[in-house]
């Protein structure tokens, strides 16, 4: 997963959902439970949103929490009427179980790669691009986001300030 500063998390806080054990109850709404998973859904384009920052605490994996977090993202995309969800991942088998299919990275809009400049793997990204279509969300007639040109490399400026 990519590093995020606390400031970046605040900037995108409304994208997030967490999975709480022993969560809030109506008797005590201020009670905070034990957070064991999180995910975020980030809007990319009119018809595309990205599932990001998905993680379940190692101790609690294999109990359906990851699935519930992805389904929360799907419900959020439906609420926003966004028809396609994408992810960049190493967990191909997990996402296949949740209805995602592998796509060529070039099929994703260039905007997806705006985070790459901050990523240590920017010169040799080996993540798998996957997409799930929410067939119950209507198609929008909008200009599509420009695709990523084949072989694109993200320019990174070297720090030229001398000590
Ligand atoms: C990927 C991850 C979120 C899965 O969370 P989880 O809570 O263990 O997943 P679930 O229990 O909801 O699994 C849902 C289904 O996927 C399957 N599954 C989960 N992880 C799998 C894996 N690595 N390979 C194959 N299948 C997997 C489960 O067996 C389950 O199948 P079932 O419904 O047929 O029983 C978790 O392993 C994780 O946090 N990994 C590290 C961070 C990461 O890689 N995040 C993805 C970034 S995009």
């Amino acid at each position: 997963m990519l590093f995020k500063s606390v400031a970046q998390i605040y900037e995108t806080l409304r994208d997030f959902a967490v999975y709480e054990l022993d969560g809030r109850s109506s008797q005590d709404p201020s009670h905070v439970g034990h957070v064991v998973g999180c995910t975020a859904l980030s809007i990319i384009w009119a018809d595309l949103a990205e599932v990001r920052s998905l993680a379940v605490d190692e101790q609690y994996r294999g109990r359906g929490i990851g699935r519930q977090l992805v389904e929360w993202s799907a419900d959020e995309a439906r609420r926003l009427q966004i028809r396609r969800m994408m992810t960049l991942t190493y967990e191909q088998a997990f996402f296949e179980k949740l209805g995602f299919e592998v796509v060529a990275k070039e099929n994703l809009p260039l905007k997806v790669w705006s985070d790459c400049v901050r990523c240590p793997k920017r010169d040799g990204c080996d993540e798998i691009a996957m997409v799930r279509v929410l067939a119950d969300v209507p198609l929008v007639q909008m200009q599509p986001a420009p695709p990523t040109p084949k072989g694109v490399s993200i320019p990174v400026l070297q720090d030229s300030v001398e000590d």
Side-chain angles (χ1 to χ4, degrees):
M1 294 172 72
L2 291 184
F3 169 81
K4 269 190 197 290
S5 66
V6 176
Q8 284 171 320
I9 292 174
Y10 271 112
E11 275 169 23
T12 54
L13 199 61
R14 282 182 292 190
D15 291 348
F16 275 84
V18 296
Y19 191 98
E20 264 184 347
L21 298 177
D22 181 27
R24 277 155 233 257
S25 73
S26 50
Q27 280 85 27
D28 179 8
S30 64
H31 170 78
V32 178
H34 177 200
V35 172
V36 295
C38 66
T39 192
L41 185 76
S42 162
I43 299 173
I44 303 290
W45 207 253
D47 65 343
L48 186 64
E50 182 178 359
V51 177
R52 288 184 178 172
S53 307
L54 172 69
V56 174
D57 185 325
E58 259 171 326
Q59 278 186 299
Y60 295 92
R61 289 183 192 164
R63 302 180 184 195
I65 295 174
R67 179 188 288 278
Q68 288 183 65
L69 287 165
V70 173
E71 290 309 329
W72 173 85
S73 303
D75 287 343
E76 186 64 0
R78 286 190 184 95
R79 186 178 74 78
L80 298 165
Q81 294 283 281
I82 295 176
R83 190 174 154 89
R84 291 186 305 147
M85 293 198 295
M86 58 143 294
T87 188
L88 293 168
T89 188
Y90 300 113
E91 295 287 350
Q92 181 179 340
F94 167 77
F95 279 101
E96 276 172 353
K97 287 215 157 170
L98 292 163
F100 286 74
E101 287 177 7
V102 176
V103 295
K105 285 181 184 162
E106 292 78 20
N107 291 346
L108 296 176
L110 190 55
K111 185 180 183 306
V112 169
W113 309 105
S114 57
D115 277 344
C116 297
V117 191
R118 288 192 287 260
C119 179
K121 292 184 187 162
R122 61 188 167 245
D123 296 327
C125 176
D126 53 355
E127 292 192 318
I128 301 158
M130 300 184 78
V131 168
R132 168 172 160 185
V133 176
L134 301 171
D136 50 341
V137 175
L139 274 170
V140 281
Q141 296 301 326
M142 292 277 294
Q143 197 169 3
T148 308
K150 247 199 157 82
V152 72
S153 69
I154 310 288
V156 179
L157 302 181
Q158 297 300 318
D159 185 359
S160 59
V161 179
E162 288 175 17
D163 295 330

